[in-house]
Amino acid sequence: MADKAYITPIVFKWARESAKMTAETAAIKVNVPAERLLEWEAGASQPTIKQAQTLAKAYKRPFALFFLPDIPRDFQPLQDFRRSDSKSLSTGSVFMIREIQQKQAWISETNRENSEAKFPFVGRFTIKDNPADVAQDILNTLSISPGKYVTGNPIKEWIDKAEAKGIFISRTSFINSHLTLDSDELQGFAIADPHAPFVFINSEDWAAPQLFTLVHELAHIWIAATGISADVEPGFQKADELHPVELFCNEVAANALIPSRLLTNLGSHVFQSASQVFSVAKTFGVSSFALLVRALNLNLISLVHYKSLKMAADAEFKAFLIKQEAKRAKQKESDSGPSYYLLQIQKNSRLFTQTVLDAFRGGSLEPTQASSLLNVKINHFHNLEAQLHK
């Protein structure tokens, strides 16, 4: 007979519920009826050690946690700036937030212990300031010139320059092959810690919306507003539809990515056709829709003209989705795609990956902790380092 795991029922139940997992879903992972799992959570019976270990892995919790006498302190939930009718955070989103909180907590503690100076841009402004002023300060701090991207890859340039200033940028659309992230549920979040500012971007969207999300989340850092976002887009929402912080950060992003002076100087002729709009939008690294909304808000085009061009922008987006689906299908057939280690670096943040590897190589970080922080086995660290230097 298999050895029983004499877990603490209240902790066992908390671990499942904090993973946003139903009893039915959790029971499937250990091939038992949901009623049996609920018995374990009530203390009426006990799982085997193997079953408890399997569930610990599913909940992304240490196996030893199940034997604590009471529910442990956990990371505090991030403030939710999403609309009141937004989707509830699912298991994937909860795991992603928890993972970033673990990384951020380690780097923040390390920087504090090393007496590193606080980053002066964190909380430099408040929501009462002018969004255009915040946008300009972000551009000045990161040395970015909108519309003059050197690499031809705006989002990469923004990420590289943000990380060069000490802001950790994590970007992914999955936890693992079975657990993906829904951009309708979670587009991004920011942890505005002056010792270790961290930004997460859901990469399920295409590059242009991702860039808008990135700059929106940087605005959260600049006003020290830690929290979750899911309504990141340039638009004309009524003031009561979005949280004031989200409206403000959307304004900052629009001003930073498409400064009014630059757009006005281009002249109205750029809005004569959808192809011209697309060309200008590409220069700024934004979607045609974002550019049109910005032009409308600046009174550069009429509402009638906006609606006409938006139809073409919508068609452009649909065409993009079709191409993306075809691309995914082709990659699946050929079993090709981005390097696993590149995806891990993007998920961990390039800056965070380098920081952990430096600490590990310098002997100030235990191998098991380094492996846990990077989600990569120690004997594969050389693959991460090789990818970092490409």
Side-chain angles (χ1 to χ4, degrees):
M1 187 175 178
D3 290 335
K4 295 292 184 179
Y6 292 92
I7 46 88
T8 305
I10 190 173
V11 176
F12 196 64
K13 181 179 181 180
W14 167 83
R16 175 181 61 78
E17 292 181 339
S18 65
K20 299 290 184 180
M21 198 175 292
T22 65
E24 289 74 18
T25 299
I28 289 171
K29 296 185 181 297
V30 285
N31 196 29
V32 299
E35 292 75 14
R36 178 72 58 78
L37 184 129
L38 292 173
E39 285 180 7
W40 299 339
E41 293 181 350
S45 62
Q46 297 81 34
T48 66
I49 290 176
K50 184 177 180 180
Q51 286 169 329
Q53 288 173 331
T54 299
L55 289 172
K57 186 176 180 180
Y59 302 157
K60 286 192 175 292
R61 297 288 187 180
F63 175 55
L65 176 142
F66 289 159
F67 302 93
L68 293 177
D70 207 344
I71 295 172
R73 285 186 59 189
D74 202 12
F75 288 108
Q76 291 299 309
L78 300 185
Q79 183 168 352
D80 195 342
F81 291 116
R82 303 175 307 152
R83 289 199 307 253
S84 58
D85 61 350
S86 295
K87 290 182 179 180
S88 297
L89 295 178
S90 63
T91 300
S93 295
V94 169
F95 284 174
M96 193 71 250
I97 291 169
R98 191 195 303 165
E99 183 175 325
I100 295 300
Q101 285 181 309
Q102 289 171 338
K103 297 180 194 300
Q104 193 278 331
W106 175 79
I107 198 69
S108 180
E109 183 180 352
T110 298
N111 286 343
R112 289 169 191 269
E113 289 178 352
N114 293 337
S115 299
E116 298 286 349
K118 294 181 180 181
F119 292 100
F121 50 79
V122 178
R124 182 177 283 165
F125 293 90
T126 73
I127 195 173
K128 295 181 181 179
D129 288 301
N130 187 329
D133 293 339
V134 181
Q136 190 58 54
D137 194 72
I138 291 174
L139 294 173
N140 292 342
T141 301
L142 303 187
S143 300
I144 287 177
S145 299
K148 297 180 181 178
Y149 297 113
V150 179
T151 62
N153 188 343
I155 190 167
K156 184 179 185 303
E157 194 163 325
W158 272 87
I159 290 173
D160 288 347
K161 291 195 172 184
E163 293 211 313
K165 290 296 180 179
I167 305 168
F168 299 88
I169 311 293
S170 168
R171 185 163 63 123
T172 190
S173 62
F174 66 93
I175 302 297
N176 52 49
S177 58
H178 304 292
L179 205 55
T180 57
L181 302 175
D182 182 353
S183 61
D184 289 335
E185 176 185 306
L186 176 70
Q187 282 179 271
F189 59 84
I191 301 177
D193 180 347
H195 291 280
F198 226 113
V199 165
F200 170 78
I201 310 161
N202 187 343
S203 62
E204 182 189 42
D205 266 328
W206 54 319
Q210 282 185 55
L211 177 56
F212 199 93
T213 298
L214 169 59
V215 185
H216 173 104
E217 298 305 335
L218 289 175
H220 274 261
I221 299 293
W222 255 251
I223 62 171
T226 294
I228 305 166
S229 304
D231 303 293
V232 182
E233 61 179 3
F236 353 87
Q237 296 99 338
K238 295 177 182 177
D240 61 350
E241 288 183 344
L242 291 185
H243 192 287
V245 167
E246 294 299 88
L247 285 169
F248 184 85
C249 291
N250 278 345
E251 278 295 306
V252 172
N255 276 277
L257 290 167
I258 320 170
S260 58
R261 175 181 55 82
L262 294 183
L263 191 56
T264 302
N265 288 345
L266 287 175
S268 59
H269 69 278
V270 301
F271 300 102
Q272 290 178 355
S273 69
S275 61
Q276 287 175 304
V277 170
F278 176 77
S279 178
V280 174
K282 189 175 181 181
T283 300
F284 283 108
V286 300
S287 66
S288 294
F289 173 67
L291 185 69
L292 289 171
V293 171
R294 184 73 167 140
L296 180 62
N297 288 339
L298 292 172
N299 297 314
L300 298 177
I301 57 176
S302 67
L303 182 58
V304 172
H305 196 186
Y306 162 81
K307 288 180 177 178
S308 173
L309 290 171
K310 183 180 179 297
M311 289 178 64
D314 289 341
E316 169 202 333
F317 181 62
K318 288 178 182 177
F320 163 79
L321 292 178
I322 292 171
K323 287 181 181 178
Q324 283 294 98
E325 193 58 41
K327 185 178 178 182
R328 288 194 191 99
K330 188 174 181 180
Q331 286 181 349
K332 194 172 182 180
E333 287 176 6
S334 61
D335 199 30
S336 65
S339 156
Y340 168 79
Y341 297 103
L342 174 60
L343 292 175
Q344 287 301 115
I345 288 171
Q346 291 176 343
K347 182 181 177 184
N348 290 324
S349 147
R350 183 172 290 270
L351 175 60
F352 185 82
T353 301
Q354 187 65 70
T355 302
V356 171
L357 289 174
D358 288 345
F360 169 69
R361 298 299 184 199
S364 61
L365 186 62
E366 292 294 327
T368 52
Q369 189 178 4
S371 177
S372 176
L373 286 168
L374 296 177
N375 289 316
V376 173
K377 293 180 179 179
I378 300 167
N379 58 352
H380 290 165
F381 277 8
H382 66 282
N383 292 318
L384 278 181
E385 290 173 312
Q387 186 68 53
L388 273 173
H389 297 114
K390 282 187 178 180

